[in-house]
Amino acid sequence: MVRLGFGDRLMMVIIYTLLALLAFSTFYPFWNAAVISFNTGSDTALGGITFWPRDFTLENYAIVFNDARLLNGFYISVMRTVVGTVTSIIVTAVFAYGMTKKELIGRKYYMVLCIITMYFSGGLIPSFLLIRSLGLMDSFWVFIIPGLVSVWNMIIFKTFFQGLPGGLEESAKIDGCGNWGTFFRIVLPLSGPVIATLSLFTAVNHWNDWFLPSIYINNENLMPIQTMLKQILNTNIVSDQIGNLDSAAQGQLQKMQTVSSKSLSMATMMIATLPIIMVYPFVQKYFVKGVLVGSLKE
C-alpha cells in the first residue's frame, strides 16, 4: 500500500475542493430556480431565497397546468423532439451507410460538399426565403425537414460503420439480404451506442430550440414550450399581460394573489427542463463509446 506524503494529500484536498466548488456552481442555479418555483411569488419578491422554499406553495405549477396554451406548447415540444429525433437519426444513418460504399460514384465529391456546409451557410435571410418558398411557414414540418440530415452525425455514423467487420455484410448478402436488409437487420442493430448518443444530442437540440419557431411560426398552437418560456421571460406574462392567459388559467390566477411573474417563470422553466434531463441517466453508459468513435481515423 502506497503512503501519500503531506504534499500529495494536500494537493488531493485542493483538487477535490475545486471539483466540489465547480459542481456546486453548476448545480446551484438549477436548484435555486426549483426553490423559487415552489415558493410564493410575493415572498420571493422580498429576496433571500437560496436553498429552501421559505413559503412553500404549488400555486405556480397549478397556474401552468391550468393554462391550455402552455400544455399545448409542451405537447408540441414532445412531438417535435420524438419525430425530429427518430427521422433525423434514420435519414442520417442511411446517408452515412451509403457514403461508406466504395462503389458509390462521386463519393469523395459528396463528402467535400457536406463538409463545406459545416463551415459556410447562406445566412438567416436566404434560409427564411427558402423555408417560405417550400411552404413550411406555420407548419409542424418546419421543425423536422430542415434538420433531417446532420453532417457531423453523418461523419460519426460513417466512421462507426466502417469499423464494423466486413464479413458481416458479406454473410448477409450470401443469405440473400440486399443493401436495405443488411442495413436494418445487421448494421443498425449493432450501432446501439452511437445511435443512443447521437439521439440524445439531437433530442436536446430539438427540445431546447426556441429561436427557429420564433422566426418561422406565427400560429400560437404550434409554439413549443421553449419559445413560450422565452416570451414569458421577455414580457412578464403575469404582471403585464395577464389577459393573454387562457380563461381557466386566468380564473385560477385571480384566486392566487401570491403568484408573481418570476415564480411562474421558474415553474415553467422546471417543466420545460426536467423531461430532457431525465433522459440522460438512461444513455450515459453509451457516451464515451458513442462520442469517441468519431475521432477514429478512416
Side-chain angles (χ1 to χ4, degrees):
M1 184 175 180
V2 179
R3 295 179 59 89
L4 297 177
F6 175 78
D8 295 331
R9 285 181 292 183
L10 179 60
M11 182 60 66
M12 291 184 62
V13 170
I14 294 175
I15 292 175
Y16 287 142
T17 302
L18 292 176
L19 290 176
L21 291 174
L22 178 62
F24 174 79
S25 63
T26 303
F27 177 73
Y28 176 73
F30 178 81
W31 176 258
N32 185 251
V35 168
I36 293 176
S37 70
F38 285 107
N39 199 73
T40 58
S42 56
D43 183 71
T44 301
L46 300 177
I49 304 299
T50 53
F51 296 102
W52 305 104
R54 191 164 52 205
D55 189 6
F56 183 83
T57 183
L58 294 176
E59 292 179 351
N60 302 307
Y61 290 93
I63 293 295
V64 174
F65 286 113
N66 274 280
D67 190 349
R69 297 182 308 114
L70 293 177
L71 293 180
N72 181 73
F74 186 83
Y75 171 76
I76 293 296
S77 291
V78 171
M79 290 299 298
R80 174 191 176 177
T81 301
V82 173
V83 176
T85 300
V86 172
T87 54
S88 177
I89 291 298
I90 292 178
V91 172
T92 303
V94 170
F95 181 28
Y97 182 67
M99 293 292 289
T100 62
K101 300 302 178 183
K102 295 182 179 180
E103 61 269 22
L104 177 65
I105 300 176
R107 183 175 66 139
K108 293 184 178 179
Y109 174 73
Y110 298 144
M111 194 66 190
V112 170
L113 291 180
C114 290
I115 293 176
I116 289 176
T117 64
M118 297 178 65
Y119 295 95
F120 304 98
S121 65
L124 181 59
I125 294 178
S127 299
F128 179 86
L129 296 176
L130 175 63
I131 294 298
R132 189 176 64 177
S133 64
L134 292 175
L136 295 177
M137 297 289 293
D138 278 333
S139 169
F140 176 79
W141 296 107
V142 76
F143 301 139
I144 311 300
I145 295 178
L148 270 181
V149 177
S150 168
V151 176
W152 175 258
N153 291 349
M154 183 274 290
I155 294 174
I156 296 179
F157 266 125
K158 177 175 175 289
T159 305
F160 183 85
F161 293 157
Q162 289 174 334
L164 295 176
L168 291 174
E169 294 190 35
E170 295 178 2
S171 300
K173 291 180 179 179
I174 292 176
D175 291 336
C177 277
N179 288 327
W180 288 107
T182 302
F183 176 74
F184 284 105
R185 295 182 182 181
I186 306 297
V187 176
L188 211 58
L190 294 175
S191 308
V194 67
I195 289 177
T197 303
L198 296 183
S199 294
L200 177 64
F201 293 159
T202 304
V204 170
N205 287 334
H206 276 290
W207 184 267
N208 289 336
D209 178 37
W210 61 268
F211 183 70
L212 187 146
S214 65
I215 298 175
Y216 302 128
I217 300 296
N218 295 315
N219 186 354
E220 195 174 70
N221 294 326
L222 291 175
M223 286 288 185
I225 193 169
Q226 298 293 351
T227 305
M228 300 186 73
L229 175 60
K230 184 67 168 59
Q231 293 175 351
I232 290 174
L233 296 175
N234 284 345
T235 61
N236 289 330
I237 193 170
V238 177
S239 58
D240 297 334
Q241 295 190 1
I242 186 174
N244 289 343
L245 292 168
D246 71 350
S247 57
Q250 188 172 347
Q252 186 78 7
L253 181 61
Q254 291 173 351
K255 299 177 183 178
M256 300 175 178
Q257 300 300 323
T258 58
V259 174
S260 69
S261 59
K262 185 175 182 180
S263 61
L264 181 60
S265 299
M266 294 300 105
T268 308
M269 187 183 302
M270 289 298 103
I271 296 174
T273 305
L274 283 177
I276 201 66
I277 291 179
M278 295 172 63
V279 176
Y280 276 90
F282 297 99
V283 295
Q284 184 178 8
K285 61 181 179 180
Y286 298 114
F287 275 3
V288 176
K289 185 175 181 180
V291 174
L292 292 184
V293 68
S295 64
L296 301 177
K297 291 185 178 181
E298 181 176 355

